[in-house]
Amino acid sequence: DIQMTQSPSSVSASVGDRVTITCRASQGLSASRSPLAWYQQKPGKAPKLLIYDASTLQTGVPSRFSGSGSGTDFTLTISSLQPEDFATYYCQQAGSVPWTFGQGTKVEVK
Amino acid sequence: EVQLVESGGGLAQPGGSLRLSCAASGFIFSSYWMTWVRQAPGKGLEWVGCINVDGNEKYYVDSVKGRFTISRDNAKNSLYLQMNSLRVEDTALYYCARHVVGSRSFDYWGQGSLVTVSS
C-alpha cells in the first residue's frame, strides 16, 4: 500500500499568513495526471474537495488555494489564510488501490 | 443540487451485520463512480472501497475484503454497503462520496452514517 505522510501534523497561523502543507508518498504516483487530491474538513462536517489531479482547483474553491507536485512530493498552499480556513486538511492518493489518505494537518489559530 | 444521504447506521454486536444505504439526487447517478470512506471517532479518513458505474467493477481496502460488499441500484439512484462479520475496529462514521468525472477524487459527500460495533 502507498503510505501518505503529511507535514506538519499541525500548524499555528494568523489571518493573512501563507501556509504550506506537504504530502509525501511512499512510492511514486503514476506519471499521468498525478492522482493526488486535497480535502478540507471542519469539525462535524464532511470533507470538502479543494484540489484534484495535484493542481486542478475544484469549482467554487477560492484561488488562494493551490496545489503542486508530482511523483512522491506534493504541496498545498494557502496564499493568504482567511478565518474560514482554520480546519484539518488531508491529502489522498489514487495512484493505486487501496487509495489512501494522509494523517491530516490541523491549521490552528496562532 | 447534488445530494447524498446515508442511512442504516446504528449499533451492532461484533460478528453482526449492517447495511448502509446512500440515496443520491440532483445528478445522473448512473454516470458516476461512487466510493465509501470512513472516519473512526477522532481519527483520520480511510477509503473503504468503490464501485464503477455499472456495478461490475469494485475495489476494497484489505481490512474489509471478504466482509464488506459495495453494490448499487441505478434505477433507484442508490448505493449500498453491506457489512458482515463486523469488528470493534469498524466503528466509524461512514460517508458515501461521488467521484469527479475522470478522476479518482471525490467532489460530493454525504453527511455520514455512524456505525458502532460493541458488545
Short mmCIF file of all heavy atoms in Angstrom, two decimals, chain A residues 59-88:
data_model
loop_
_atom_site.label_atom_id
_atom_site.label_comp_id
_atom_site.label_asym_id
_atom_site.label_seq_id
_atom_site.Cartn_x
_atom_site.Cartn_y
_atom_site.Cartn_z
N THR A 59 -14.13 23.45 -8.71
CA THR A 59 -15.05 24.56 -8.95
C THR A 59 -15.56 25.14 -7.64
O THR A 59 -16.01 24.41 -6.75
CB THR A 59 -16.24 24.07 -9.79
OG1 THR A 59 -15.75 23.52 -11.01
CG2 THR A 59 -17.19 25.20 -10.09
N GLY A 60 -15.50 26.46 -7.54
CA GLY A 60 -16.03 27.14 -6.37
C GLY A 60 -15.03 27.33 -5.24
O GLY A 60 -15.32 28.05 -4.28
N VAL A 61 -13.87 26.74 -5.35
CA VAL A 61 -12.84 26.88 -4.31
C VAL A 61 -12.05 28.16 -4.57
O VAL A 61 -11.62 28.40 -5.71
CB VAL A 61 -11.91 25.65 -4.29
CG1 VAL A 61 -10.76 25.85 -3.31
CG2 VAL A 61 -12.72 24.40 -3.92
N PRO A 62 -11.84 28.96 -3.54
CA PRO A 62 -11.11 30.23 -3.74
C PRO A 62 -9.71 30.04 -4.30
O PRO A 62 -9.03 29.04 -3.98
CB PRO A 62 -11.05 30.82 -2.32
CG PRO A 62 -12.18 30.19 -1.59
CD PRO A 62 -12.32 28.81 -2.15
N SER A 63 -9.27 31.00 -5.08
CA SER A 63 -7.98 30.89 -5.76
C SER A 63 -6.79 31.03 -4.82
O SER A 63 -5.64 30.84 -5.23
CB SER A 63 -7.88 31.92 -6.88
OG SER A 63 -8.04 33.23 -6.34
N ARG A 64 -7.01 31.35 -3.55
CA ARG A 64 -5.90 31.38 -2.60
C ARG A 64 -5.37 29.98 -2.30
O ARG A 64 -4.29 29.82 -1.75
CB ARG A 64 -6.29 32.07 -1.29
CG ARG A 64 -7.40 31.40 -0.51
CD ARG A 64 -7.72 32.19 0.77
NE ARG A 64 -8.79 31.58 1.56
CZ ARG A 64 -10.07 31.83 1.36
NH1 ARG A 64 -10.45 32.67 0.41
NH2 ARG A 64 -10.99 31.23 2.11
N PHE A 65 -6.16 28.95 -2.67
CA PHE A 65 -5.72 27.56 -2.54
C PHE A 65 -5.04 27.14 -3.84
O PHE A 65 -5.56 27.38 -4.93
CB PHE A 65 -6.89 26.62 -2.25
CG PHE A 65 -7.51 26.80 -0.91
CD1 PHE A 65 -8.60 27.64 -0.74
CD2 PHE A 65 -7.02 26.12 0.20
CE1 PHE A 65 -9.18 27.81 0.51
CE2 PHE A 65 -7.59 26.28 1.45
CZ PHE A 65 -8.68 27.14 1.61
N SER A 66 -3.88 26.51 -3.71
CA SER A 66 -3.21 25.97 -4.89
C SER A 66 -2.48 24.69 -4.52
O SER A 66 -2.10 24.49 -3.36
CB SER A 66 -2.25 26.99 -5.50
OG SER A 66 -1.20 27.28 -4.59
N GLY A 67 -2.30 23.84 -5.51
CA GLY A 67 -1.60 22.58 -5.31
C GLY A 67 -0.53 22.40 -6.35
O GLY A 67 -0.65 22.88 -7.48
N SER A 68 0.51 21.69 -5.96
CA SER A 68 1.60 21.42 -6.89
C SER A 68 2.26 20.11 -6.52
O SER A 68 2.01 19.54 -5.45
CB SER A 68 2.62 22.55 -6.89
OG SER A 68 3.25 22.65 -5.61
N GLY A 69 3.15 19.66 -7.41
CA GLY A 69 3.92 18.46 -7.12
C GLY A 69 3.67 17.35 -8.10
O GLY A 69 2.74 17.38 -8.90
N SER A 70 4.53 16.35 -8.03
CA SER A 70 4.43 15.16 -8.85
C SER A 70 5.32 14.08 -8.26
O SER A 70 6.16 14.38 -7.39
CB SER A 70 4.83 15.44 -10.30
OG SER A 70 6.19 15.81 -10.35
N GLY A 71 5.12 12.85 -8.71
CA GLY A 71 5.96 11.77 -8.21
C GLY A 71 5.63 11.40 -6.78
O GLY A 71 4.60 10.77 -6.51
N THR A 72 6.47 11.81 -5.85
CA THR A 72 6.24 11.48 -4.44
C THR A 72 5.98 12.70 -3.56
O THR A 72 5.56 12.53 -2.42
CB THR A 72 7.45 10.73 -3.86
OG1 THR A 72 8.61 11.56 -3.97
CG2 THR A 72 7.69 9.40 -4.57
N ASP A 73 6.23 13.90 -4.06
CA ASP A 73 6.14 15.09 -3.22
C ASP A 73 5.12 16.08 -3.74
O ASP A 73 5.20 16.53 -4.89
CB ASP A 73 7.52 15.76 -3.10
CG ASP A 73 8.51 14.87 -2.36
OD1 ASP A 73 8.17 14.39 -1.27
OD2 ASP A 73 9.60 14.65 -2.90
N PHE A 74 4.18 16.43 -2.86
CA PHE A 74 3.07 17.30 -3.23
C PHE A 74 2.88 18.37 -2.16
O PHE A 74 3.20 18.15 -0.99
CB PHE A 74 1.78 16.48 -3.38
CG PHE A 74 1.90 15.42 -4.45
CD1 PHE A 74 2.40 14.16 -4.14
CD2 PHE A 74 1.53 15.68 -5.76
CE1 PHE A 74 2.53 13.19 -5.12
CE2 PHE A 74 1.67 14.72 -6.74
CZ PHE A 74 2.17 13.47 -6.42
N THR A 75 2.34 19.52 -2.59
CA THR A 75 2.18 20.65 -1.68
C THR A 75 0.83 21.31 -1.87
O THR A 75 0.38 21.48 -3.01
CB THR A 75 3.29 21.69 -1.95
OG1 THR A 75 4.57 21.10 -1.69
CG2 THR A 75 3.12 22.89 -1.03
N LEU A 76 0.20 21.66 -0.75
CA LEU A 76 -0.98 22.51 -0.74
C LEU A 76 -0.57 23.84 -0.14
O LEU A 76 0.03 23.86 0.95
CB LEU A 76 -2.10 21.89 0.10
CG LEU A 76 -3.33 22.78 0.32
CD1 LEU A 76 -4.12 22.94 -0.98
CD2 LEU A 76 -4.23 22.21 1.42
N THR A 77 -0.87 24.92 -0.83
CA THR A 77 -0.54 26.25 -0.34
C THR A 77 -1.80 27.10 -0.21
O THR A 77 -2.63 27.10 -1.12
CB THR A 77 0.46 26.96 -1.29
OG1 THR A 77 1.66 26.19 -1.36
CG2 THR A 77 0.78 28.36 -0.78
N ILE A 78 -1.92 27.75 0.93
CA ILE A 78 -2.96 28.76 1.13
C ILE A 78 -2.22 30.09 1.13
O ILE A 78 -1.42 30.35 2.04
CB ILE A 78 -3.73 28.55 2.44
CG1 ILE A 78 -4.22 27.09 2.55
CG2 ILE A 78 -4.92 29.50 2.52
CD1 ILE A 78 -4.81 26.73 3.91
N SER A 79 -2.47 30.93 0.14
CA SER A 79 -1.62 32.12 -0.05
C SER A 79 -1.84 33.19 1.01
O SER A 79 -0.90 33.87 1.41
CB SER A 79 -1.85 32.71 -1.44
OG SER A 79 -3.21 33.08 -1.59
N SER A 80 -3.08 33.32 1.48
CA SER A 80 -3.39 34.31 2.50
C SER A 80 -4.54 33.74 3.33
O SER A 80 -5.70 33.79 2.92
CB SER A 80 -3.80 35.65 1.86
OG SER A 80 -4.14 36.59 2.86
N LEU A 81 -4.19 33.22 4.48
CA LEU A 81 -5.14 32.48 5.31
C LEU A 81 -6.32 33.37 5.73
O LEU A 81 -6.12 34.51 6.18
CB LEU A 81 -4.41 31.95 6.54
CG LEU A 81 -5.10 30.85 7.34
CD1 LEU A 81 -5.18 29.55 6.54
CD2 LEU A 81 -4.35 30.63 8.65
N GLN A 82 -7.51 32.83 5.55
CA GLN A 82 -8.73 33.53 5.95
C GLN A 82 -9.36 32.85 7.17
O GLN A 82 -9.07 31.67 7.44
CB GLN A 82 -9.72 33.55 4.79
CG GLN A 82 -9.20 34.31 3.57
CD GLN A 82 -8.85 35.75 3.91
OE1 GLN A 82 -9.70 36.53 4.34
NE2 GLN A 82 -7.57 36.11 3.72
N PRO A 83 -10.22 33.56 7.90
CA PRO A 83 -10.80 32.96 9.12
C PRO A 83 -11.49 31.62 8.88
O PRO A 83 -11.45 30.73 9.74
CB PRO A 83 -11.80 34.03 9.58
CG PRO A 83 -11.25 35.31 9.05
CD PRO A 83 -10.62 34.96 7.72
N GLU A 84 -12.10 31.48 7.70
CA GLU A 84 -12.83 30.24 7.42
C GLU A 84 -11.91 29.09 7.02
O GLU A 84 -12.39 27.97 6.79
CB GLU A 84 -13.86 30.48 6.31
CG GLU A 84 -13.30 30.95 4.99
CD GLU A 84 -13.25 32.48 4.87
OE1 GLU A 84 -13.09 33.15 5.91
OE2 GLU A 84 -13.36 32.97 3.72
N ASP A 85 -10.61 29.33 6.94
CA ASP A 85 -9.67 28.28 6.52
C ASP A 85 -9.12 27.47 7.69
O ASP A 85 -8.39 26.50 7.45
CB ASP A 85 -8.49 28.90 5.75
CG ASP A 85 -8.94 29.64 4.50
OD1 ASP A 85 -10.04 29.34 3.98
OD2 ASP A 85 -8.18 30.51 4.04
N PHE A 86 -9.45 27.85 8.92
CA PHE A 86 -8.97 27.06 10.06
C PHE A 86 -9.74 25.74 10.06
O PHE A 86 -10.96 25.71 10.20
CB PHE A 86 -9.14 27.83 11.36
CG PHE A 86 -8.23 29.02 11.45
CD1 PHE A 86 -8.70 30.30 11.17
CD2 PHE A 86 -6.89 28.86 11.75
CE1 PHE A 86 -7.86 31.41 11.22
CE2 PHE A 86 -6.03 29.96 11.81
CZ PHE A 86 -6.52 31.24 11.53
N ALA A 87 -9.02 24.66 9.86
CA ALA A 87 -9.62 23.35 9.61
C ALA A 87 -8.52 22.31 9.56
O ALA A 87 -7.34 22.63 9.74
CB ALA A 87 -10.38 23.36 8.28
N THR A 88 -8.91 21.07 9.30
CA THR A 88 -7.94 20.00 9.07
C THR A 88 -7.91 19.67 7.59
O THR A 88 -8.96 19.60 6.94
CB THR A 88 -8.30 18.75 9.91
OG1 THR A 88 -8.29 19.10 11.30
CG2 THR A 88 -7.29 17.63 9.66
#
